[in-house]
C-alpha cells in the first residue's frame, strides 16, 4: 500500500513529534505500524503499571527517550503511602539488559533509589538527560554516580524531589572533562553545596542555559556564577537572607545586567526584599517568573518587581500579593498565559491579612486576554465572579480553583457554586483540566457532563450530593482520562454503572467516598483489563475481623487500565482485587 | 466587617485568654495523621447540604489530611520558613526515661545537631555517646530519638538538620535496656 520507500515514510514521520499523533499513525496499517515502531525515539508512559518494560522495549527497540509517571496525582498530597509503588529500578534494569540506547529519562512521582541511579549512569554510554519531578528514595550519592559516570550529560533537572542530602561532594564528581551541561537544577537539595566546585563547573560549561541553585548558595556566589554564565536563559536563585553590603549588591547588579538573555527567573527561597531591585534591569525581558517560594517578601515588594515585567507569560506567586497585586499584574502583564497563586497561609491560622479573593481573579481575567491556564488558591469565591471570568476568558485550557475551606458557599449569596463553575465549562470549550471546590451539588456535574467536551482531567473534593453527580461526569465527558475524587458521597451505583468507561481512561481515584469493598470486588470481577487497588492503611483492623464485610467502605480506591495484569510489587496494605 | 476587627483589637481577648502552655506559644492544631475517618463530622456536611444554610460552617480546627492540595515539598518549605521568620518557634516536648516531668524546647533556636545535643545534655544532666552514621550513638546509656511526622521513632542525627526540624514532633531520650536495640550497627 505504500507508494514510497520505507525510508521516505520514516522521514515524514520524523516531523510528527506528538506521541498521540504517532500512536494514531501506528494504527493506520501494518506497514505503518512497523515503520513507526522502529522509528519511534520518544515514548511517554502515563502510568508505569499500564505496561511493563519488556513489552515496551519489544515494541520500540530504538527508543532514546522515556517518560514515566508512577504514583497517582493525589500522592502529592500525602494520600498515597510511601511504599505504594512506582519503582523505576525494574525499568532501568530491563533497558540496560536489552542494550537500549537510552539518552533521556523523565520521571514523575516515582521511587528512585541510589542503586537505580548508579545503574543508569553505568548502562547507557550516550545518556544525556535526567529529569526527576516529585520523586523520592534517593540521596546525593545517587547524584554523584550520575555526575561521575555520564560523560555526555547535558541535563540534570531535579524538581521538588525529596532527596536525602548526605552533604557529600556530588558536585565535585563531575569530571573536569565534563563541559556539555546545558541545564542544572538542584534547587530542592536541602544541604550545603560546595560552592567552589559549582563555580568551576559553571565556568567550564559554555552551553549552560539553565541553572537553578539551592538555598545554600549565597549572594556573593550568585554574582560570581552569573558573571561566568552571562548566556543563561533560566536562573533559579538561592538564598540571600541578609541585606547585602553595598559592594556585594553592586557586584550582583553588574553581573545581572550582563545576563541579557535571561528569560526565566525562579527560586528566591530565602530573600531579603532589598535584594530584589538588583533584578530590576532584566525584568523587561522575563517571560517566566516564579516567586512562589518567597514567603518573606511582602506584597508591595512583589508589586514593584512585577510592574517591570511587561512581557511575562508565566507567573507563579504567593497569595501574599493580594488582590491589589493581582490588579497590577492585570494592568502590566498583557502577555500572561499561565498564572498560579499559591496559599501562604496553609492552615488557615491567620486572619485575612493579604490573601486573594474573587476580586483578584476577575481582574486578571479582564486584563489578560491570553490567559489559558490558572491555578488559584483563595479563601472565598462567588458565582458572579466566576460567571464574569468565564465571559472574559473563554480560552481556558486549565482551570483549577481551590477554595481553602471545604464546602464553602458563595460568600455573598450563600448559595452553592454550581452556577459559577457551570459558566466556566460552558464558555471554555477547549477546557482540558478542571479542579472544582467550594460548596457544590450534583448540578455542577450535570453541567460538566453536558459542556466539558474536551475535558481530560477532573479533580473533585468535598463535592456532590448523590451518585448522580459522578454519573453525569462519566456519561458526559467522552474524553475523560483521569478522574480523582476525595471526600464526596459517590458510591457503588456510580462506580459500577459503566465499567467499560474505565478502559477508555488512564485511571480513577476515589478516597473517603461511599464505595464499598463489595462494589469494588464486583467491578474487578468483570474487568480483566483493569487493576483495582484498595489501599487500606488500617491493616490491623481488617485482620481482626473474621469475615470480610463487603459493606465496609473502602478507604482509597485506585483503578487503572493495564495490558499486563496485576503488578507484583505492591506492599501488603494494597489489595489488588 | 471593619467594626468587628476594631472591637477585637480593643478588647484584645486573646491576651487575657486563659490556657495552658508557655507564654508566646500558639496552640498547635491537631493533625489527622493516619486517621481513617473523614475529616469533617458527618453532621456538619449534612447541615450544609440539606438545608442550604446561610451561614458557613466554622472552619474545622483539625487539619484535614492532604488538604489544601499543595505538594508536601511546598508545604514543608513554607512551614519551616514561617516558623523561622515569625519567631514563633517550633516547640517540641522532650521526655527522658525516668524523669518525673517533661520539658519543652524550641528547635528553631539551634542551627545544627551538636548545639541541640549540648542543650539536651545540660537540661537533663546526661551525656550522649558519639554519633556515627553506621552505628548510631556509642558509649552511653542514653540515645536521643524523635517521633517524626509519620509517627515513627527515629534516631536523632541521621537526616539533615532542616529535615529533622521540619519533621520532628517530639523528642525522647531513651535509656537503659531499650537502648541495646539501637545503635548497635545492625
Amino acid at each position: 500500500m505504500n507508494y514510497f520507500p520505507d525510508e521516505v515514510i520514516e522521514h515524514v514521520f520524523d516531523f510528527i513529534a506528538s506521541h498521540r499523533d504517532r500512536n494514531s499513525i501506528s494504527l493506520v496499517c501494518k506497514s505503518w505500524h512497523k515503520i513507526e515502531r522502529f522509528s519511534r525515539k520518544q515514548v511517554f508512559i502515563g502510568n508505569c503499571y499500564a505496561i511493563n518494560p519488556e513489552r515496551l522495549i519489544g515494541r520500540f527497540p530504538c527508543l532514546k527517550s522515556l517518560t514515566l509517571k508512577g504514583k497517582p496525582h493525589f500522592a502529592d498530597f500525602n494520600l498515597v503511602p510511601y511504599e505504594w509503588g512506582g519503582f523505576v529500578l525494574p525499568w532501568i534494569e530491563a533497558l540496560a539488559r536489552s542494550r537500549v540506547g537510552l539518552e533521556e529519562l523523565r520521571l514523575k512521582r516515582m521511587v528512585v533509589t541510589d542503586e537505580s541511579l548508579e545503574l543508569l549512569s553505568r548502562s547507557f554510554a550516550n545518556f544525556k538527560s535526567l529529569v526527576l519531578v516529585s520523586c523520592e528514595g534517593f540521596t546525593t550519592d545517587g547524584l554523584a554516580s550520575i555526575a561521575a559516570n555520564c560523560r555526555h550529560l547535558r541535563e540534570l533537572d531535579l524538581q521538588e524531589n525529596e532527596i536525602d542530602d548526605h552533604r557529600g561532594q556530588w558536585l565535585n564528581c563531575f569530571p573536569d572533562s565534563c563541559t556539555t551541561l546545558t541545564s542544572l537544577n538542584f534547587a530542592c537539595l536541602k544541604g550545603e553545596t560546595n560552592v567552589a566546585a559549582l563555580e568551576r563547573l559553571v565556568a567550564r560549561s559554555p552551553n549552560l542555559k539553565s541553572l537553578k541553585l539551592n538555598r545554600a548558595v549565597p549572594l556573593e556566589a550568585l554574582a560570581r556564577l552569573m558573571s561566568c554564565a552571562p548566556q543563561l536563559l533560566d536562573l533559579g536563585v538561592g538564598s540571600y537572607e541578609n541585606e547585602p553590603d553595598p559592594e556585594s549588591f553592586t557586584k550582583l547588579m553588574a553581573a545581572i545586567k550582563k545576563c541579557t538573555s535571561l528569560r526565566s527567573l525562579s527560586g528566591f527561597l530565602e530573600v531579603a526584599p532589598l535584594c530584589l531591585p538588583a533584578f530590576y534591569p532584566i525584568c523587561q525581558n522575563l517571560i517566566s517568573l516564579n516567586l512562589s517560594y518567597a514567603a518573606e517578601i511582602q506584597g508591595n515588594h512583589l508589586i514593584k518587581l512585577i510592574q517591570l515585567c511587561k512581557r511575562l507569560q508565566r507567573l507563579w506567586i504567593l497569595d501574599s500579593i493580594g488582590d491589589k497585586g493581582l490588579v497590577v499584574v492585570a494592568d502590566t502583564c498583557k502577555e500572561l498565559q499561565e498564572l498560579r497563586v499559591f496559599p501562604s497561609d496553609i492552615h488557615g491560622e491567620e486572619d485575612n491579612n493579604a490573601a486573594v479573593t474573587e476580586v483578584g481573579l476577575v481582574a486578571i481575567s479582564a486584563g489578560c486576554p491570553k490567559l489559558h491556564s490558572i491555578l488559584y488558591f483563595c479563601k472565598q469565591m462567588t458565582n458572579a465572579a466566576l460567571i464574569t471570568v468565564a465571559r472574559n476568558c473563554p480560552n481556558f485550557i486549565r482551570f483549577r480553583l481551590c477554595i481553602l475551606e471545604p464546602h464553602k458557599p458563595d460568600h455573598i449569596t450563600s448559595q452553592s457554586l454550581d452556577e459559577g463553575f457551570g459558566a466556566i465549562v460552558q464558555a471554555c470549550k477547549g477546557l482540558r483540566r478542571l479542579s472544582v471546590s467550594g460548596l457544590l451539588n450534583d448540578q455542577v456535574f450535570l453541567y460538566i457532563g453536558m459542556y466539558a467536551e474536551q475535558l481530560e482531567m477532573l479533580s473533585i473534593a468535598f463535592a456532590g450530593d448523590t451518585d448522580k453527580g459522578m454519573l453525569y461526569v462519566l456519561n458526559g465527558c467522552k474524553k475523560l482520562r483521569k478522574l480523582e475524587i476525595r471526600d464526596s458521597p459517590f458510591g457503588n451505583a456510580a462506580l459500577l454503572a459503566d465499567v467499560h468507561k474505565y478502559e477508555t481512561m488512564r485511571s480513577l481515584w476515589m478516597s473517603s467516598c461511599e464505595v464499598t469493598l463489595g462494589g469494588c470486588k464486583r467491578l474487578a470481577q468483570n474487568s480483566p483489563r483493569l487493576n483495582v487497588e484498595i489501599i487500606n492503611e488500617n491493616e490491623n483492623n481488617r485482620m481482626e475481623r473474621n469475615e470480610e464485610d463487603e459493606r465496609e467502605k473502602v478507604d482509597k480506591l485506585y483503578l487503572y487500565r493495564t495490558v499486563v495484569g496485576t503488578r507484583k510489587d505492591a506492599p501488603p496494605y494494597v489489595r489488588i482485587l | 466587617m471593619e467594626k468587628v476587627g476594631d472591637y477585637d483589637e480593643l478588647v484584645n481577648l486573646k491576651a487575657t485568654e486563659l490556657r495552658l502552655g508557655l507564654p508566646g506559644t500558639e496552640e498547635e492544631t491537631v493533625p489527622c495523621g493516619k486517621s481513617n475517618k473523614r475529616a469533617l463530622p458527618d453532621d456538619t456536611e449534612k447541615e450544609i447540604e440539606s438545608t442550604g444554610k446561610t451561614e458557613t460552617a466554622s472552619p474545622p480546627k483539625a487539619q484535614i489530611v492532604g488538604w489544601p492540595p499543595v505538594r508536601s515539598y511546598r508545604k514543608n518549605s513554607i512551614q519551616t520558613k514561617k516558623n523561622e521568620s515569625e519567631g514563633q518557634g517550633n516547640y517540641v516536648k522532650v521526655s527522658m526515661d525516668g524523669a518525673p516531668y517533661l520539658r519543652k524546647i524550641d528547635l528553631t533556636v539551634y542551627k545544627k545537631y551538636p548545639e541541640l545535643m549540648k542543650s539536651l545534655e545540660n537540661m537533663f544532666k546526661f551525656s550522649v555517646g558519639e554519633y556515627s552514621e553506621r552505628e548510631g550513638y556509642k558509649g552511653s546509656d542514653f540515645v536521643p530519638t524523635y517521633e517524626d511526622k509519620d509517627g515513627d521513632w527515629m534516631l536523632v542525627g541521621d537526616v539533615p538538620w532542616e529535615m529533622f526540624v521540619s519533621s520532628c514532633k517530639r523528642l525522647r531520650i531513651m535509656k537503659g535496656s531499650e537502648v541495646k536495640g539501637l545503635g548497635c550497627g545492625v
Side-chain angles (χ1 to χ4, degrees), chain A residues 24-73:
Chain A
S24 306
I25 290 176
S26 65
L27 294 175
V28 167
C29 63
K30 275 198 181 138
S31 159
W32 279 31
H33 183 93
K34 180 167 159 228
I35 298 171
E36 200 282 318
R37 255 183 80 199
F38 288 103
S39 65
R40 177 91 74 123
K41 304 277 187 304
Q42 296 171 338
V43 179
F44 169 86
I45 296 180
N47 174 5
C48 66
Y49 290 118
I51 188 146
N52 64 28
E54 289 72 31
R55 283 181 66 158
L56 168 73
I57 298 167
R59 181 162 170 200
F60 300 117
C62 304
L63 82 90
K64 293 208 178 336
S65 161
L66 178 61
T67 302
L68 277 173
K69 293 191 182 180
K71 299 183 201 179
H73 176 231

Side-chain angles (χ1 to χ4, degrees), chain A residues 306-374:
Chain A
I306 290 174
Q307 265 169 334
L308 301 169
C309 301
K310 298 203 193 307
R311 291 209 198 135
L312 216 55
Q313 293 175 15
R314 196 172 91 136
L315 175 64
W316 290 24
I317 197 129
L318 286 172
D319 63 3
S320 44
I321 194 177
D323 285 334
K324 236 178 43 181
L326 289 177
V327 169
V328 172
V329 173
D331 285 340
T332 311
C333 308
K334 295 304 182 188
E335 302 294 314
L336 197 67
Q337 297 176 19
E338 178 187 331
L339 174 67
R340 295 196 192 189
V341 181
F342 293 96
S344 52
D345 167 28
I346 292 191
H347 303 308
E349 280 156 2
E350 289 153 36
D351 292 326
N352 281 8
N353 36 17
V356 298
T357 69
E358 72 275 14
V359 171
L361 183 61
V362 171
I364 292 286
S365 72
C368 305
K370 299 191 182 175
L371 193 66
H372 59 60
S373 292
I374 189 157

Side-chain angles (χ1 to χ4, degrees), chain A residues 46-50 68-76 78-88 91 108-111 134 136 506-509 531-537 556-561 566-576:
Chain A
N47 174 5
C48 66
Y49 290 118
L68 277 173
K69 293 191 182 180
K71 299 183 201 179
H73 176 231
F74 276 179
D76 278 349
N78 288 341
L79 288 177
V80 176
Y82 172 72
E83 275 137 18
W84 172 85
F87 308 106
V88 77
W91 292 85
K108 187 168 186 180
R109 276 184 229 112
M110 294 201 68
V111 176
S134 275
E136 59 187 344
R506 184 188 296 175
S507 64
L508 167 69
W509 168 281
N531 275 354
V532 179
E533 298 192 5
I534 312 280
I535 303 170
N536 250 332
E537 279 166 281
K556 292 165 186 165
L557 161 68
Y558 180 54
L559 68 84
Y560 51 90
R561 68 179 175 191
T566 313
R567 63 184 174 112
K568 308 280 182 291
D569 61 358
Y573 52 77
V574 171
R575 187 169 159 193
I576 307 182

Side-chain angles (χ1 to χ4, degrees), chain A residues 76-79 108-109 133-134 160-167 187-188 190 215 268-270 292-296 316 318 342-347 349-350 377 402-409 414 437 439 461-462 464-465 486-487 512-514 536-538 553 555, chain B residues 8 27-29 34-40 42 44-45 48-50 52-61 63-82 84-86 88 113 131 133 149-150 157-163 166:
Chain A
D76 278 349
F77 319 130
N78 288 341
L79 288 177
K108 187 168 186 180
R109 276 184 229 112
V133 180
S134 275
E160 298 189 340
N161 302 290
E162 291 293 344
I163 307 176
D164 232 345
D165 196 328
H166 283 175
R167 289 153 275 169
C188 58
K190 298 192 183 121
R215 241 188 197 107
F268 296 97
L269 304 166
E270 280 166 19
S292 62
Y293 285 97
E296 272 111 56
W316 290 24
L318 286 172
F342 293 96
S344 52
D345 167 28
I346 292 191
H347 303 308
E349 280 156 2
E350 289 153 36
F377 284 85
C402 180
I403 301 167
L404 289 169
E405 190 188 314
H407 302 295
K408 186 156 183 175
S414 298
S437 59
L439 181 64
F462 304 101
D465 298 317
R486 64 166 291 177
D487 294 273
S512 302
C513 296
E514 302 285 323
N536 250 332
E537 279 166 281
N538 277 349
K553 282 194 207 147
D555 202 18
Chain B
D8 272 352
E27 196 179 272
E28 279 177 23
T29 50
K34 281 191 184 164
S35 164
N36 221 10
K37 305 183 193 140
R38 247 172 270 178
L40 296 180
D42 279 305
T44 322
E45 283 183 49
I48 298 170
E49 285 158 20
S50 60
K53 277 208 171 143
T54 52
E55 72 265 19
T56 58
S58 56
K61 291 296 177 194
Q63 294 170 17
I64 302 171
V65 175
W67 191 264
V70 172
R71 276 193 189 161
S72 22
Y73 175 82
R74 186 178 284 280
K75 259 190 193 168
N76 292 340
S77 288
I78 308 266
Q79 200 52 50
T80 316
K81 272 194 296 183
K82 270 175 64 133
E84 286 169 15
S85 66
E86 287 171 3
Q88 210 179 31
Y113 284 115
Y131 174 77
E133 225 173 279
K149 283 206 174 99
D150 297 326
D158 283 337
V159 301
W161 175 255
E162 301 78 13
M163 193 187 287
S166 64

Side-chain angles (χ1 to χ4, degrees), chain A residues 95-96 352 360 387 456 476:
Chain A
L95 290 162
N352 281 8
I387 292 169
E456 296 177 6

